[in-house]
């Protein structure tokens, strides 16, 4: 997702910077920033999704969260909880030592590399993960979908780190990344809980896996950069790095230029801020209707944060992805679930796991058999950047 000038050309940040710092006068002389239509309205829905998550968790789960925090750990232990007590648990101070060491290492690396973000910016990113881990975890536990909360990092970085282009990247990496890792660890702990795997073993496996994956991914990253020409640029298609370009564009919007100029009064994007109010209000009537009409089955499945946060995932996805997800979801989870429920109950999740595994194996085989030998399958189905050219056009307005 790129950002543009008012005449539709790609935005050149060097024209609005002086000595590496944003120059407001140069910005006025050059051009206001413009986004594609998809990019802009997804921000409006993202504002609504953020507020709906907080309101939804408050009215649906607020009392339960407070009650559980006050209760003892063993009060709700089922048979699995009783059986797992035969293994030694992970000491709380182990987690504290690991947390302090990880935070110190992350801050030290960032400051040592001269990224430009002050030490308290890193602490703010860790606070994001700590505050949001419970509400996001509840939504993921119910819907099997983890809502993307990069917008929290964007908002905070735009307010407190405005003028530091790397601010958003740090808050997203340390905040959103830490949140995702925490929930992934909790998910693995839950699986190990039911499989009766000793908690200390799970912790060791996780640490070893993280260290190995970091080394492999870092080496692979540098290997790709060295081997693939024009990587992360349009000329390097299909290696265009959509997520990386999305982070770059978000850094320009929130940290370089700032939210006041992009979304402030007089901007064509200022109406998007109504999304905050929309997300604040929408879960309330849904909650009332679900309590008023408890026998309406379909109404009980309306989950506002999941609906809104799902739409937020549009960029940087290719335009064909969401229609295909909807089509297959409708076929398997509505038609087959309703009319061939026995088959769905027995095979649906196995089929899903098989398709995921097949996709991974297919990618590996295609890379080894085709890409390594200079062969390329070029047809409409995999030309994702050319299927809907309008999705990449800027939203031009006065």
């Amino acid at each position: 997702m790129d950002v543009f000038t008012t005449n539709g050309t790609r935005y050149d940040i060097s024209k609005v910077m002086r000595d590496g710092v944003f120059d407001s006068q140069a910005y006025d002389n050059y051009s206001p920033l413009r986004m594609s239509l998809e990019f802009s309205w997804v921000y409006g829905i993202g504002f609504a999704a953020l507020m709906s998550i907080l309101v939804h968790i408050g009215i649906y789960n607020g009392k339960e969260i407070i009650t559980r925090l006050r209760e003892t750990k063993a009060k709700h232990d089922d048979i699995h909880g009783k059986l797992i007590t035969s293994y030694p648990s992970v000491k709380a101070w182990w987690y504290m030592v690991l947390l302090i060491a990880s935070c110190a290492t992350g801050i030290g690396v960032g400051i040592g590399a001269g990224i430009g973000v002050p030490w308290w910016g890193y602490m703010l990113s860790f606070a994001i993960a700590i505050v949001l881990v419970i509400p996001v975890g509840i939504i993921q536990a119910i819907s099997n979908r983890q809502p993307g909360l990069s917008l929290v990092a964007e908002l905070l970085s735009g307010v407190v780190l405005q003028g530091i282009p790397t601010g958003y990247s740090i808050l997203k990496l340390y905040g959103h990344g830490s949140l995702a890792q925490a929930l992934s660890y909790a998910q693995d702990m839950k699986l190990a809980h039911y499989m009766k795997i000793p908690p200390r073993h799970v912790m060791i496996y996780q640490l070893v896996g993280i260290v190995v994956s970091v080394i492999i991914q870092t080496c692979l990253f540098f290997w790709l950069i060295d081997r693939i020409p024009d990587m992360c640029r349009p000329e390097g298609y299909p290696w265009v790095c959509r997520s990386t370009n999305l982070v770059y564009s978000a850094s320009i919007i929130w940290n370089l230029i700032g939210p006041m100029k992009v979304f402030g009064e007089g901007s064509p994007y200022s109406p998007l801020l109504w999304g905050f109010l929309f997300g604040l209000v929408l879960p309330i009537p849904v909650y009332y209707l679900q309590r008023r009409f408890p026998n309406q089955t379909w109404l009980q499945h309306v989950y506002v944060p999941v609906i809104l946060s799902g739409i937020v995932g549009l960029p940087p996805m290719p335009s064909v992805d969401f229609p295909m997800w909807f089509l297959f979801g409708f076929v398997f989870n509505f038609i087959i679930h309703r009319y061939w429920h026995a088959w769905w109950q027995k095979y649906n999740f196995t089929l899903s796991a098989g398709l995921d595994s097949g996709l991974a194996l297919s990618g590996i085989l295609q890379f080894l058999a085709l890409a390594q030998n200079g062969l390329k399958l070029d047809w409409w189905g995999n030309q994702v950047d050319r299927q809907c050219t309008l999705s990449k056009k800027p939203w031009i307005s006065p």
Side-chain angles (χ1 to χ4, degrees):
M1 286 293 171
D2 295 318
V3 288
F4 306 90
T5 64
T6 52
N7 61 12
T9 59
R10 186 171 298 176
Y11 208 86
D12 184 358
I13 62 172
S14 65
K15 299 291 183 62
V16 298
M17 298 178 68
R18 294 290 182 271
D19 300 323
V21 179
F22 175 72
D23 189 320
S24 182
Q25 183 61 44
Y27 175 80
D28 294 336
N29 294 335
Y30 178 51
S31 170
L33 181 139
R34 296 291 182 262
M35 298 177 272
S36 67
L37 179 61
E38 178 190 25
F39 200 3
S40 57
W41 66 260
V42 162
Y43 265 127
I45 296 175
F47 298 150
L50 174 60
M51 295 305 299
S52 71
I53 290 172
L54 300 177
V55 174
H56 179 96
I57 294 299
I59 60 180
Y60 282 82
N61 306 100
K63 292 183 179 179
E64 181 185 9
I65 292 174
I66 295 174
T67 301
R68 292 298 178 90
L69 291 175
R70 291 175 177 175
E71 291 175 349
T72 60
K73 177 183 176 182
K75 184 170 182 178
H76 292 281
D77 273 354
D78 55 9
I79 184 60
H80 301 285
K82 293 180 173 65
L83 290 174
I84 203 68
T85 56
S86 60
Y87 300 106
S89 62
V90 180
K91 301 295 184 182
W93 66 267
W94 291 16
Y95 288 116
M96 292 303 300
V97 170
L98 186 61
L99 174 64
I100 294 172
S102 301
C103 292
T105 302
I107 295 173
V109 170
I111 294 178
I115 295 177
V117 177
W119 66 268
W120 52 263
Y122 297 90
M123 299 303 296
L124 178 62
S125 64
F126 298 138
I128 294 174
I130 294 172
V131 170
L132 295 178
V133 67
I134 291 180
V136 174
I138 290 175
I139 292 177
Q140 183 175 353
I142 295 175
S143 66
N144 197 34
R145 171 177 171 76
Q146 183 181 132
L149 291 179
S150 298
L151 186 59
V152 177
E154 294 172 353
L155 286 169
L156 291 177
S157 65
V159 173
V160 301
L161 296 174
Q162 203 275 319
I164 305 177
T166 54
Y168 166 62
S169 301
I170 292 299
L171 261 69
K172 179 179 175 62
L173 174 64
Y174 286 84
H176 181 65
S178 299
L179 174 63
Q181 288 292 330
L183 293 175
S184 176
Y185 181 73
Q187 189 174 4
D188 290 348
M189 287 291 291
K190 181 178 180 180
L191 178 62
H193 179 79
Y194 290 120
M195 297 298 294
K196 309 302 178 295
I197 301 175
R200 294 186 179 183
H201 292 186
V202 177
M203 183 180 185
I204 294 172
Y205 299 153
Q206 283 277 11
L207 290 176
V208 172
I210 290 173
V211 172
V212 172
S213 66
V214 166
I215 295 173
I216 293 176
Q217 290 186 36
T218 302
C219 294
L220 179 61
F221 170 78
F222 285 106
W223 183 84
L224 290 172
I225 291 294
D226 292 337
R227 296 294 192 283
I228 300 176
D230 297 318
M231 186 174 177
C232 296
R233 298 180 180 179
E235 298 80 10
Y237 182 86
W239 302 89
V240 292
C241 308
R242 292 183 183 86
S243 296
T244 304
N245 282 320
L246 179 62
V247 172
Y248 172 73
S249 298
S251 298
I252 296 175
I253 294 170
W254 294 94
N255 291 113
L256 179 62
I257 298 176
M260 293 304 297
K261 288 186 176 293
V262 178
F263 297 101
E265 185 178 358
S267 168
Y269 305 116
S270 60
L272 298 176
L273 298 177
W274 285 101
F276 286 109
L277 180 61
F278 180 72
L280 180 69
V281 173
L282 187 58
I284 299 175
V286 174
Y287 176 81
Y288 170 77
L289 291 174
Q290 289 175 344
R291 296 300 183 273
R292 180 68 176 80
F293 304 102
N295 295 326
Q296 295 293 330
T297 306
W298 68 269
L299 187 59
Q300 305 305 316
H301 295 294
V302 176
Y303 211 74
V304 175
V306 175
I307 296 173
L308 295 177
S309 61
I311 300 174
V312 173
L314 271 172
M317 298 296 180
S319 54
V320 72
D321 281 18
F322 266 67
M324 296 305 296
W325 290 346
F326 177 81
L327 173 63
F328 278 85
F330 180 77
V331 169
F332 282 94
N333 291 327
F334 181 78
I335 297 178
I336 296 179
H337 179 270
R338 167 172 286 191
Y339 298 105
W340 296 279
H341 186 73
W343 186 96
W344 181 92
Q345 193 172 28
K346 187 174 183 180
Y347 295 112
N348 190 66
F349 291 100
T350 305
L351 176 64
S352 176
L355 291 174
D356 286 343
S357 302
L359 176 63
L361 292 174
S362 174
I364 295 173
L365 291 176
Q366 288 185 54
F367 176 76
L368 295 176
L370 301 177
Q372 286 292 85
N373 296 306
L375 301 176
K376 182 180 180 181
L377 297 177
D378 192 8
W379 66 292
W380 179 88
N382 61 14
Q383 295 175 353
V384 294
D385 286 338
R386 307 167 203 168
Q387 290 167 348
C388 181
T389 56
L390 291 177
S391 66
K392 300 180 66 177
K393 298 296 183 181
W395 178 9
I396 302 299
S397 58

